[in-house]
Amino acid sequence: MNLAIGLLLGIALSVLCTKSIRARTLAKMSQELKTREQLLQQFIEHTPAAVAMVDREMRYLAVSRRWIMDYKLAGQEIVGRSHYDVFPDLEPRWKLVHERCLAGAVAACDDDPWLRGDGSQEWLKWEVRPWTDSAGAIGGIIMFTEVVTERKRTEMALRDATLLQQAVLDAAHYAIVATTNDGKIRIFNQAAERMLGYSGDEVLYSKSPDLFHVPEELERRAAELSVELGRTIAPNTDVFTAKPQLGQVEEGQWTCVRKDGSRFPIWLSVTGLREVDGSMCGYVGIASDISELAAAKEAAEAASQAKTEFLANMSHEIRTPMTSIIGYADLLLDPNLPAPQRIEHVQTIRRNGEHLVAVINDILDISRIESGKIAIECVDTSPATILAEIASQMRAKAVDKRLTFDVEYEGPIPARVRTDPARLRQILMNLVTNAIKFTDQGGVRVIVSLDQSDSKTASLNFRVVDTGIGIGPEKIEAIFAPFKQADSSTTRRFGGTGLGLAISSRLAALLGGRLLVSSQSGAGSEFMLSIPVGPTERIEWMAHPEDMVSDASRTTRSLDKTLNAKVLLAEDGVDNQKLISLHLTRAGVDVTVVANGREAIEATNAGKFDVILMDMQMPEMDGYEATAKLRASGYAGPILALTAHAMSNDRNKCLTAGCNEYLTKPIDAQTLVRVVGKFANASNQQALDTISGTHRSELADDPDMREIIEQYVSRLPEQVQKIHELLAQNDLKNLGRLAHQLKGSGGGYGFPQITALASAANRSINEAEPIDAIRRQIDTLVNYIRKIKGYDTSKEAAHAAERTGH
Ligand code: ADP
């Protein structure tokens, strides 16, 4: 028993002992576990990231302080609560993430946009992964999150800035090239690629901008900078960086070399790029191509230089004849001067005066052309007549210099072309004058031909060929530029303004044609003017244009003889009265002088004159008014206008007022006598007819129409007389009716202009325009009618006499 009891006791003791050992071991273990749990808690709590550990039911087991802070959960008891209770507004997608992770997956995202409960936008970086218990079963998940809003914003701002920078670089018209500190290119925009011909790939991080520069310019700038900055600057990229390193801008013009070796001027500014701390981190250069600017500047400088030279030339040109005029006028003051010398001095004064007028006319012409104020007419013009006039004026000058002068026609030419006769004459005159001026031996030929190489329209070519000094190739382009002479010494030797050809070539262009030159120094010159003559099928040919030349010379010669005519000169200037009277009296004309328009009308009523010379600018009543009054009263004799204006609209104005012709002052004696002769007496009636009878019916070539057109034309003087009568009586009603009739009939007889002009006059009357305007319209109509071929002016006067019963 004792043994048994002892055994039992022993067993019991040993059991007890074992139990207490186990109990102690257990207690120790649980103590350790607690410590570990606490450590883990602390680890999680203090970890500097937002971390939360939840069980399978998403109940919090542990959270870090950062979690509490980031999600603004301070003051809440979290542990033990469900994640979904803590975040009731959680987006549904999170539940899916949690479920996947509870099934063993790991999920993560680097920048997940997240809208806070207060509406603010944040970005999260997160990772969710499962945790397992000692048995390896998934006990829940651990969530790591980091609010990366700041970083994200910085990143986005950086990206925006980069995009913006790229857009600016791409869109810039300037070449933008940035380099690293050691001068390697790190930005090379599209404009730089275009400008320099290199692609970005060819230069980025491998080349320096001195590749685009000319060594000599780098050396020159390096030398300048060395002086300016007081230290040696090497002739390489240092040239561009020296100043930017000091916080300044390196700016200036450079010559750039493209990949293909071609060069062009640029304007370049280089500035330094600095880090936030102020240290240099590279350079940026901005360059613009200034080729156009440089060219424009050069052109402007050349133009201004040319104008300066021109002014100097002009002053010289004006001063030289003025000096002679004043000098010789002084000599004339000597009462003892013998008569022959007196005459010589007067001639010198006259010659210089004429030259002065030419200079002034040229200046006016070029400035009118340059300002676009020149009016170009387009009327039926006889080229042969113009050439005959030029020949008759210029032949004497050629003969004076012992030169030959010929006008030659190669084949038939049009009897008439539609152009501006005054301008055509002006161009040809200039070419012929130059040809004679610049030729000392041989002669001048004017060769006229029709160029029909274009099947539809033809052009009339006038070649002025001389055997003179010619023009060297280096000068030939300059001669058409205003203010230029082939050689400035030309001015001294030959005179002239250097404007003639500039005017001529511009006028040629205004006529729709052109002026070309071919010449060699010492081998003569050939100037060719070509003007368009329109469709060839409508051309009326002239079989023997050269006859016109001899005709004209005959006329001039015959005019040297006595003119038996009575002329009324209405002119207020005493000098001009004397001068014109002298020229006319010498030619045998009987001249009556009056001083204004009113006296002219009185004189016309009192006596009969073959021609009235009417100055247009006069006191009391001017020439326009006097002429209009004379025409209105039925006066049909020739009235020739005298005016100081050489503009084409003045000519129109004179013709519209009722004048038959127009002479410009200063009066050329020969022209005066010739024109007066043409209009003067009965023996010149034919000349009057040819001058006035320029308008033909469009149907004149139709043999069936000829007779009825003639009848129509023969009835016109009566109508013209009637028009004047109605106008004088102010009977606008009947005047309108008559205009209406003419409007209806003109076109039918092949005179569409009568229809157009009568219609304009009729409209003026119907719209009750001022009487002056109506009168102008009527005058234009009458003047047109009077110039119709076959129109008999004398019939007008006869009808007038009939009506007034004289
Ligand atoms: P200007 O004769 O008044 O000097 P132009 O414009 O008519 O002015 O002519 C310009 C220049 O062209 C002249 O100064 C002369 O040097 C040259 N030139 C013109 N025509 C001829 C020509 N037929 N032969 C040689 N040189 C000419």
Side-chain angles (χ1 to χ4, degrees):
M1 174 57 202
N2 273 351
L3 188 67
I5 288 170
L7 200 65
L8 274 171
L9 257 172
I11 290 168
L13 263 173
S14 80
V15 167
L16 271 175
C17 260
T18 315
K19 253 193 179 166
S20 80
I21 286 172
R22 190 178 291 151
R24 252 185 284 137
T25 313
L26 268 175
K28 202 176 168 193
M29 275 172 69
S30 98
Q31 184 61 38
E32 235 168 58
L33 211 62
K34 221 175 208 150
T35 314
R36 272 208 207 155
E37 201 174 299
Q38 262 173 2
L39 273 176
L40 195 65
Q41 281 279 3
Q42 270 184 39
F43 178 72
I44 290 180
E45 195 178 325
H46 294 289
T47 198
V51 182
M53 191 177 182
V54 294
D55 62 14
R56 292 197 66 89
E57 272 71 48
M58 293 298 290
R59 281 189 301 258
Y60 281 97
L61 298 175
V63 288
S64 69
R65 284 193 179 179
R66 188 64 199 241
W67 185 279
I68 306 276
M69 225 165 73
D70 278 358
Y71 298 108
K72 304 193 167 74
L73 300 170
Q76 293 188 39
E77 187 51 54
I78 305 289
V79 175
R81 281 176 66 195
S82 155
H83 182 63
Y84 305 123
D85 286 346
V86 176
F87 295 101
D89 300 325
L90 201 67
E91 287 176 62
R93 67 183 171 105
W94 285 113
K95 249 190 181 146
L96 297 175
V97 173
H98 299 152
E99 277 163 16
R100 271 201 297 127
C101 294
L102 283 170
V106 176
C109 179
D110 273 347
D111 51 356
D112 199 353
W114 163 54
L115 207 59
R116 268 192 195 279
D118 63 5
S120 55
Q121 175 72 60
E122 306 264 16
W123 271 269
L124 280 186
K125 176 184 162 103
W126 56 260
E127 187 181 301
V128 180
R129 56 168 64 243
W131 60 267
T132 48
D133 60 16
S134 50
I138 292 174
I141 52 176
I142 304 179
M143 301 182 278
F144 302 90
T145 67
E146 188 187 345
V147 180
V148 291
T149 309
E150 265 320 289
R151 196 193 74 207
K152 184 74 190 168
R153 290 221 169 108
T154 317
E155 260 175 35
M156 287 195 328
L158 204 65
R159 205 192 56 211
D160 285 352
T162 314
L163 284 174
L164 188 70
Q165 176 192 333
Q166 199 55 47
V168 171
L169 286 173
D170 289 349
H173 284 295
Y174 304 104
I176 302 176
V177 177
T179 66
T180 55
N181 257 343
D182 59 358
K184 291 276 177 284
I185 296 173
R186 68 171 201 221
I187 288 178
F188 197 74
N189 75 340
Q190 289 179 3
E193 291 185 328
R194 282 195 301 273
M195 218 181 262
L196 294 158
Y198 291 93
S199 72
D201 294 342
E202 287 174 285
V203 295
L204 282 176
Y205 297 103
S206 61
K207 298 282 187 321
S208 292
D210 45 357
L211 173 69
F212 317 125
H213 288 270
V214 180
E216 305 84 76
E217 285 189 356
L218 290 173
E219 272 158 28
R220 197 201 44 183
R221 183 66 185 143
E224 279 170 12
L225 283 169
S226 303
V227 175
E228 190 181 333
L229 304 177
R231 65 184 174 91
T232 309
I233 305 292
N236 52 29
T237 339
D238 291 0
V239 166
F240 306 110
T241 59
K243 280 185 131 182
Q245 276 164 8
L246 303 172
Q248 299 170 18
V249 181
E250 171 64 32
E251 203 170 22
Q253 185 175 335
W254 292 90
T255 302
C256 244
V257 187
R258 291 194 189 88
K259 191 180 174 186
D260 65 8
S262 57
R263 297 178 173 205
F264 64 103
I266 58 161
W267 184 262
L268 172 71
S269 318
V270 183
T271 43
L273 294 173
R274 282 172 198 278
E275 298 283 10
V276 190
D277 66 2
S279 62
M280 294 299 302
C281 63
Y283 304 89
V284 60
I286 299 182
S288 49
D289 181 344
I290 53 167
S291 310
E292 279 177 21
L293 203 70
K297 190 170 155 238
E298 216 168 88
E301 277 167 4
S304 135
Q305 174 70 15
K307 291 217 169 171
T308 312
E309 276 171 24
F310 166 73
L311 275 183
N313 257 349
M314 279 310 130
S315 346
H316 172 83
E317 279 298 316
I318 292 171
R319 203 176 294 123
T320 312
M322 276 318 275
T323 315
S324 298
I325 291 171
I326 295 167
Y328 280 91
D330 280 346
L331 292 179
L332 282 178
L333 288 175
D334 177 2
N336 301 322
L337 200 67
Q341 259 176 319
R342 189 172 287 274
I343 291 170
E344 213 173 281
H345 293 349
V346 171
Q347 278 166 346
T348 309
I349 291 177
R350 195 197 140 82
R351 204 175 47 245
N352 282 288
E354 276 172 357
H355 178 70
L356 205 52
V357 169
V359 171
I360 291 167
N361 281 345
D362 272 3
I363 299 176
L364 288 178
D365 258 356
I366 195 88
S367 60
R368 270 202 303 260
I369 296 176
E370 300 254 300
S371 61
K373 287 203 182 110
I374 196 153
I376 294 293
E377 271 194 332
C378 189
V379 296
D380 278 343
T381 304
S382 158
T385 307
I386 289 180
L387 280 165
E389 283 168 12
I390 292 174
S392 79
Q393 280 184 45
M394 301 308 291
R395 180 165 284 120
K397 291 218 162 81
V399 170
D400 275 354
K401 285 188 79 179
R402 298 177 184 282
L403 301 174
T404 57
F405 183 87
D406 295 297
V407 179
E408 297 164 20
Y409 291 90
E410 283 181 352
I413 63 153
R416 262 173 288 278
V417 295
R418 300 281 297 171
T419 189
D420 186 322
R423 299 303 168 194
L424 178 60
R425 187 179 297 117
Q426 187 177 355
I427 302 171
L428 290 171
M429 260 318 228
N430 178 239
L431 298 182
V432 172
T433 309
N434 276 347
I436 296 174
K437 184 160 77 174
F438 295 106
T439 304
D440 288 330
Q441 268 179 359
V444 175
R445 289 156 70 209
V446 183
I447 305 161
V448 192
S449 62
L450 191 75
D451 177 2
Q452 294 194 73
S453 47
D454 182 331
S455 58
K456 293 212 185 72
T457 70
S459 58
L460 194 58
N461 292 346
F462 301 85
R463 279 152 55 214
V464 181
V465 186
D466 67 52
T467 54
I469 61 168
I471 308 162
E474 70 291 351
K475 309 279 170 61
I476 209 148
E477 270 186 28
I479 59 170
F480 292 114
F483 319 132
K484 285 262 173 87
Q485 294 190 319
D487 182 348
S488 50
S489 65
T490 305
T491 321
R492 262 163 278 137
R493 216 174 119 206
F494 298 99
T497 58
L499 287 173
L501 287 176
I503 295 171
S504 296
S505 67
R506 282 165 172 71
L507 288 178
L510 289 173
L511 295 182
R514 57 200 181 135
L515 179 59
L516 303 172
V517 60
S518 89
S519 178
Q520 267 178 25
S521 200
S525 311
E526 176 174 332
F527 284 84
M528 187 178 90
L529 167 72
S530 72
I531 56 161
V533 298
T536 38
E537 64 266 23
R538 288 223 230 114
I539 290 178
E540 183 193 333
W541 299 100
M542 190 171 202
H544 301 290
E546 54 282 355
D547 290 351
M548 190 66 91
V549 181
S550 46
D551 260 2
S553 345
R554 253 203 312 278
T555 322
T556 333
R557 256 179 268 123
S558 70
L559 284 174
D560 293 341
K561 296 191 200 127
T562 313
L563 264 181
N564 219 344
K566 278 189 73 174
V567 168
L568 175 67
L569 170 64
E571 159 73 62
D572 62 313
V574 178
D575 290 334
N576 270 328
Q577 282 177 357
K578 283 191 182 150
L579 199 66
I580 296 171
S581 300
L582 181 74
H583 292 321
L584 290 174
T585 321
R586 271 203 194 144
V589 174
D590 174 2
V591 187
T592 306
V593 179
V594 294
N596 61 50
R598 192 179 42 72
E599 288 177 13
I601 295 176
E602 283 167 15
T604 317
N605 290 335
K608 186 175 171 341
F609 296 98
D610 298 307
V611 172
I612 302 177
L613 280 174
M614 185 76 84
D615 180 24
M616 298 318 268
Q617 285 81 28
M618 285 185 293
E620 238 174 281
M621 183 189 287
D622 67 14
Y624 299 103
E625 191 180 340
T627 307
K629 284 219 158 91
L630 282 171
R631 293 300 187 210
S633 72
Y635 183 81
I639 304 179
L640 312 183
L642 300 174
T643 125
H645 303 290
M647 291 160 120
S648 75
N649 48 347
D650 288 310
R651 179 169 185 271
N652 279 343
K653 217 170 138 192
C654 295
L655 298 185
T656 310
C659 296
N660 301 69
E661 252 306 346
Y662 155 103
L663 293 165
T664 51
K665 293 180 190 171
I667 296 294
D668 175 74
Q670 275 212 344
T671 317
L672 173 74
V673 174
R674 185 164 45 84
V675 177
V676 168
K678 267 186 184 170
F679 282 90
N681 43 40
S683 64
N684 281 320
Q685 182 61 44
Q686 218 181 337
L688 176 63
D689 278 351
T690 44
I691 289 219
S692 50
T694 46
H695 303 318
R696 287 176 85 235
S697 163
E698 286 181 353
L699 307 170
D701 294 336
D702 181 343
D704 295 338
M705 287 296 288
R706 200 164 295 154
E707 201 183 327
I708 78 165
I709 295 170
E710 271 168 25
Q711 285 169 4
Y712 177 71
V713 174
S714 76
R715 286 193 301 275
L716 286 172
E718 189 183 351
Q719 276 162 300
V720 167
Q721 193 282 325
K722 181 98 190 148
I723 287 175
H724 281 135
E725 194 181 300
L726 293 171
L727 203 55
Q729 292 163 357
N730 244 337
D731 183 351
L732 294 180
K733 200 169 147 207
N734 282 314
L735 191 62
R737 200 167 292 157
L738 193 53
H740 188 77
Q741 270 174 22
L742 282 167
K743 173 183 154 191
S745 63
Y749 291 94
F751 296 103
Q753 291 90 338
I754 293 189
T755 297
L757 295 173
S759 152
N762 193 31
R763 196 180 49 239
S764 278
I765 296 169
N766 289 345
E767 289 174 7
E769 283 186 6
I771 187 73
D772 279 352
I774 296 173
R775 199 173 292 249
R776 271 198 302 277
Q777 297 280 15
I778 291 287
D779 285 345
T780 318
L781 169 67
V782 166
N783 279 314
Y784 180 85
I785 295 177
R786 281 201 180 122
K787 286 196 175 176
I788 286 174
K789 199 169 181 155
Y791 183 91
D792 186 351
T793 329
S794 62
K795 270 193 175 176
E796 262 179 52
H799 283 294
E802 218 171 80
R803 295 189 70 84
T804 48
H806 293 310

